[in-house]
Amino acid sequence: MSETAGKQQDKTDTEHQQHVEQYFSAQPGSRDVRRNLHVSLRGHDVDVEVSNGVFSGHRLDLGTSVLLRHAPQAPENGTFLDIGCGWGPIALALGLESPKADIWALDVNERALELTKTNAEKLGLGEHIHAVKATEIPANLTFDLIWSNPPIRVGKDELHTLLMAWLPRLTAGGYAYLVVQKNLGSDSLIKWLSAQLGDDFAVTKYASSKGYRVIEAHRLGNETIE
């Protein structure tokens, strides 16, 4: 193997390990180095903490930016869910936009949950944002709104299991918005979700930007949020 090829393989191995940490590790092995980051979340300029070993630990990633830019205005109140919260940009944006809402931020990564909780408290949202693992969400809880930049790189089977664990818990009239990169299967995911969720749901492409699709899944029924 050439030196160039070896370096490329090392880079690939490192990136793979980072994905494994972000998506599967409750306790990342990388050093917890906290950094301050200034970001704009749906028009709110805020300072947050980020760190290694969580998804997009150095910046607001492009996919999440697309979701936050194109998703419609969140209801004033209700029960919301962020699937795969990372350091919290989606949950924080929802909290800033809908301060009366009850927001559940879900992740497997304990460092991500700690960062989300810290950032929520800094922004005065600590009472409204619950950063939790799946087992901490009440089994009978349903959601009026779900926003997510789902962990596509966990693999198709794991992704499908994750989405089907939570999307069916939308209330009648509720909406989910997912951002997925087009070249990572967004269009095929729309077809799959439509087939799996059945006639109670309408699954469509809501928006496209910068190589990403924003997917809308609407649970049909009477609107439950004013």
Side-chain angles (χ1 to χ4, degrees):
M1 180 183 294
S2 68
E3 182 177 354
T4 301
K7 289 181 178 179
Q8 183 61 43
Q9 183 61 48
D10 289 344
K11 180 180 179 181
T12 300
D13 291 344
T14 299
E15 291 175 346
H16 174 72
Q17 181 60 36
Q18 289 172 345
H19 288 314
V20 169
E21 276 204 342
Q22 294 160 10
Y23 298 144
F24 294 111
S25 299
Q27 297 179 329
S30 60
R31 186 181 174 193
D32 187 359
V33 181
R34 301 293 174 99
R35 294 174 292 276
N36 291 321
L37 183 67
H38 185 77
V39 293
S40 180
L41 303 175
R42 305 270 286 187
H44 299 270
D45 292 329
V46 296
D47 293 305
V48 297
E49 278 190 21
V50 297
S51 185
N52 304 326
V54 300
F55 176 68
S56 195
H58 295 81
R59 60 187 173 86
L60 181 64
D61 69 285
L62 181 57
T64 298
S65 296
V66 168
L67 177 65
L68 296 182
R69 189 178 305 117
H70 291 282
Q73 183 171 347
E76 182 178 346
N77 53 52
T79 303
F80 304 167
L81 175 66
D82 171 12
I83 304 171
C85 63
W87 51 263
I90 292 174
L92 297 173
L94 287 169
L96 291 166
E97 187 161 305
S98 304
K100 296 180 182 179
D102 193 41
I103 301 163
W104 294 78
L106 169 66
D107 211 297
V108 299
N109 186 320
E110 292 180 0
R111 188 177 300 170
L113 296 176
E114 183 181 341
L115 286 166
T116 296
K117 182 180 293 187
T118 297
N119 289 328
E121 290 172 351
K122 281 187 173 183
L123 300 181
L125 301 171
E127 294 184 2
H128 300 280
I129 294 178
H130 317 285
V132 296
K133 294 183 177 181
T135 54
E136 298 175 88
I137 297 180
N140 61 348
L141 187 66
T142 57
F143 303 97
D144 303 297
L145 184 68
I146 296 174
W147 282 9
S148 179
N149 181 357
I152 294 296
R153 297 182 188 276
V154 297
K156 185 180 293 186
D157 291 343
E158 290 84 355
L159 175 68
H160 288 174
T161 298
L162 177 67
L163 294 179
M164 290 307 296
W166 299 105
L167 294 185
R169 291 173 68 167
L170 277 172
T171 57
Y175 287 85
Y177 294 93
L178 316 174
V179 64
V180 179
Q181 201 167 348
K182 183 178 179 182
N183 66 6
L184 292 180
S186 59
D187 292 345
S188 61
L189 182 60
I190 292 173
K191 295 178 182 178
W192 186 87
L193 285 172
S194 183
Q196 294 297 312
L197 291 170
D199 293 340
D200 289 343
F201 286 79
V203 183
T204 58
K205 179 183 71 176
Y206 182 81
S208 295
S209 180
K210 300 184 183 299
Y212 287 83
R213 299 272 200 251
V214 177
I215 300 170
E216 177 187 88
H218 174 39
R219 184 159 204 163
L220 306 176
N222 295 328
E223 297 296 337
T224 57
I225 310 176
E226 297 181 356

